[in-house]
Structures are given as structure tokens and as C-alpha cells.
Amino acid sequence: FESQRKLRNTARFILGNLPDFDPSVDAVPYADLPSLDKYILGLLSDMLKEADAAYEAYDYARVVNCLLRFCSADLSNFYLDASKDRLYISDSTDTRRRSCQTTLDIVMDGVMMALAPILPHMAEDIFQNRVLPSATGPRGSVFEKLWPELDFAKHDEALWSKVRSIRDDANQVMELARADKVIGASMDAVLVLAVPEGDALRGALEGMAAEAAGGNDVDTLRYALMISRIDVVAAEDAVKERCGSYVVEGGVSGYALGVAVAADQGLTKCQRCWFFTDDVGKGGEGCEHDLCARCNGIVKKKGFVVDRTPSEQMA
């Protein structure tokens, strides 16, 4: 029952973020997807191949295991959490949101088909509740669909595996800080990450920390880790000096890392996205003084912004 609940909750989250997405109109081509999306689609292909082979061998326990591993470890614990900013904060038609919805739509279809032979009622429920804005006429049934022929290649697997291991270590040290009531949400923190000069992934991680990876506002450590800022340094001593006792050494990532309080690093919390940044209230003319430049741009586009000082906002 617990396994079924996990699968159902994953499906509910995905379906809840697709009502305004029509694949025939809004889908982003695979070539234009961010690296993170291509990475998760590669994992989806691997899961479906394993499930197909297990069904052929009548090994249903193996099907359940690979489905749970993908839905729990790859989706819920990583991709879906890292995608919340794209889904909730971006403008509804922003490319970074549409690319995520494109990926979720493909993932939902694959998971649904893998579920159908062993959990037919859940699979049919998913199929009937996938709202397509342009759909007309009878919905049919999930059992009228063919097994998805997906063959997405593995993409930047070494890099994203390392990012996930850094995320695991960061979550571990943030739990220590939460226990001492130093931080609350993960966005309350700045991560200091020591990557040796000769490390093969140092350049890529520095680019992701500087939010320069691909220039798509997706393939960044800030959103992958849901931490306000990541500072990459070369020496472990710099981590200890800035983070005090909130440090992990010899974790699953192999790097030394620690967390510091974002508010103590000269950053201010945006009241819309909750990330701490150095550009709150700097969105230009007509900006809200408690929003970061990114959020000011989004709400301006919607016509919601009135230029007010903090004291006027409190009145």
C-alpha cells in the first residue's frame, strides 16, 4: 500500500502541473531542452527498457522496484523538487516552465504505461485525468495505447550524478543547521563548496554556480539544490572558516562543503520566490521593494506592480 501511495502522489503532482499545457502547441523540442530535462528523460528511457524486459520475463517484482526507484529517487527526491521554482515562480508561458512541462508530460506517459499491467485502475485514472486543453470527443482508454518507444540518450550523467551527491551532502549539513534553528528553508542558506583545482568537474560546477550553464536559468546549482547561492572554492579551509561547525567532509560527493546563513552574506529575501539575492528592490522603475529583479520582471509583465516603499507596503 505504501508503494502504491508513493506512485499515486508522484502522478498527482505531475498532473497538477499540466492543466495549462497542450503538447501540440506548447511542447519544447528535445534539442532545446535544458541539460537537466535531457538527463531525466535518459533515466526514463532506462526505466522503461528495464520494465519492458521484466514484463517479458514475468518478473513483476522487478517492474515495481524500477518504477519505485525512478519515481521516488529520480523524480520526487530530485527532479520534481528542483523543478518547483520553474513551475511556480516563472511566467506561465516562460520557456523554462514549458520545457519542464514538456518533460513532465513525457515522463507521465511513460510511467502510466509502465504502471498499466500491474496497477490498471491507477493507470486508467491517470489517463482520464490528463486534461488536454485542445482535446475533444471520447477519451478512450490507456489500454488502447501502445508501449512508448522512447530512446533518449544518457545526458551529462557524470555531472548530474555529482550534483545529486552534492545535494545529498548539502541536505545532511542543512539538517544540522535546522536542528540548531540557524536556518529554516533551504533557501535561507548559502553553500560553500570546496572543489580541488584539478577536479574534472570543477569548470562545469563553477559555471553552474555562476548560473552561466547554458544560459537557460535552469541548469544551475541554485535551482538544482534549492539554495540561494553556491560559492565554489578550492581549499577546504575556506569552507570551515566561513561555515563553522556546519560542514560535511568525506560525504557521498567526495567534496568538503558547508552552509552559512544567507542573510549574513549581504543577501535579502525575495518575498515571492523566497531566494535570498543581492538585487531585491532593484527591479527598476515601478518595482516592488521586497521582490528580486527576476520576480519584479514577472509581475510587471502581468501588470500587478505598483511602486511602493516598504513603509507604504506595511500601511
Side-chain angles (χ1 to χ4, degrees):
F1 178 78
E2 180 64 19
S3 297
Q4 182 177 347
R5 185 185 65 81
K6 289 180 180 179
L7 293 169
R8 186 175 182 84
N9 285 342
T10 299
R12 287 179 62 189
F13 178 88
I14 295 175
L15 289 174
N17 283 284
L18 292 178
D20 65 335
F21 177 76
D22 189 337
S24 65
V25 178
D26 304 316
V28 176
Y30 178 82
D32 297 334
L33 292 176
S35 175
L36 175 59
D37 294 341
K38 292 178 180 178
Y39 167 72
I40 208 69
L41 290 177
L43 297 182
L44 172 67
S45 287
D46 289 347
M47 183 275 288
L48 288 172
K49 290 173 184 175
E50 183 178 355
D52 190 25
Y55 276 129
E56 289 291 335
Y58 300 99
D59 188 349
Y60 303 116
R62 184 179 164 199
V63 176
V64 172
N65 287 336
C66 74
L67 264 169
L68 282 174
R69 184 172 63 249
F70 178 72
C71 289
S72 296
D74 299 329
L75 286 181
S76 296
N77 292 348
F78 176 58
Y79 182 75
L80 298 184
D81 190 52
S83 297
K84 288 176 181 176
D85 183 87
R86 299 162 69 185
L87 293 169
Y88 301 155
I89 301 301
S90 300
D91 182 70
S92 59
T93 59
D94 196 304
T95 300
R96 73 192 293 263
R97 183 169 184 268
R98 290 303 194 199
S99 63
C100 185
Q101 290 179 307
T102 299
T103 304
L104 291 179
D105 186 59
I106 297 170
V107 166
M108 190 74 274
D109 188 65
V111 169
M112 176 183 70
M113 295 307 296
L115 280 172
I118 52 174
L119 288 170
H121 297 292
M122 184 186 296
E124 186 67 27
D125 194 28
I126 292 171
F127 181 80
Q128 296 299 331
N129 283 280
R130 172 65 180 97
V131 178
L132 295 174
S134 63
T136 58
R139 297 299 304 273
S141 170
V142 66
F143 296 101
E144 296 175 344
K145 291 174 60 68
L146 298 175
W147 184 266
E149 296 293 335
L150 301 180
D151 192 23
F152 295 111
K154 295 179 186 295
H155 187 83
D156 285 344
E157 191 167 20
L159 176 60
W160 286 109
S161 294
K162 180 62 73 174
V163 170
R164 291 176 67 172
S165 66
I166 292 171
R167 179 185 168 97
D168 290 340
D169 285 347
N171 287 340
Q172 177 185 340
V173 74
M174 282 192 291
E175 282 305 312
L176 298 177
R178 283 194 189 96
D180 291 343
K181 302 188 185 305
V182 173
I183 64 169
S186 61
M187 288 88 82
D188 295 347
V190 166
L191 181 74
V192 184
L193 174 66
V195 183
E197 291 287 356
D199 192 284
L201 294 176
R202 179 179 171 87
L205 292 172
E206 281 185 316
M208 294 177 76
E211 305 192 13
N216 54 30
D217 207 21
V218 174
D219 298 326
T220 68
L221 287 179
R222 178 163 76 142
Y223 299 126
L225 307 180
M226 293 299 287
I227 294 175
S228 286
R229 192 179 75 199
I230 292 82
D231 295 337
V232 177
V233 298
E236 294 184 8
D237 289 344
V239 177
K240 297 174 184 176
E241 180 180 343
R242 290 182 56 184
C243 304
S245 60
Y246 303 111
V247 174
V248 167
E249 297 178 90
V252 292
S253 69
Y255 299 144
L257 57 85
V259 295
V261 179
D264 295 341
Q265 307 294 311
L267 305 179
T268 306
K269 183 177 182 178
C270 172
Q271 296 301 314
R272 182 171 181 269
C273 68
W274 289 15
F275 279 99
F276 281 75
T277 73
D278 58 4
D279 61 4
V280 170
K282 300 177 182 179
E285 183 180 354
C287 75
E288 289 282 4
H289 295 273
D290 56 358
L291 301 187
C292 65
R294 178 181 66 139
C295 286
N296 262 305
I298 294 170
V299 297
K300 277 182 182 180
K301 184 177 178 181
K302 296 295 185 182
F304 296 144
V305 178
V306 177
D307 191 15
R308 295 175 293 165
T309 65
S311 60
E312 289 172 334
Q313 293 178 26
M314 294 296 292

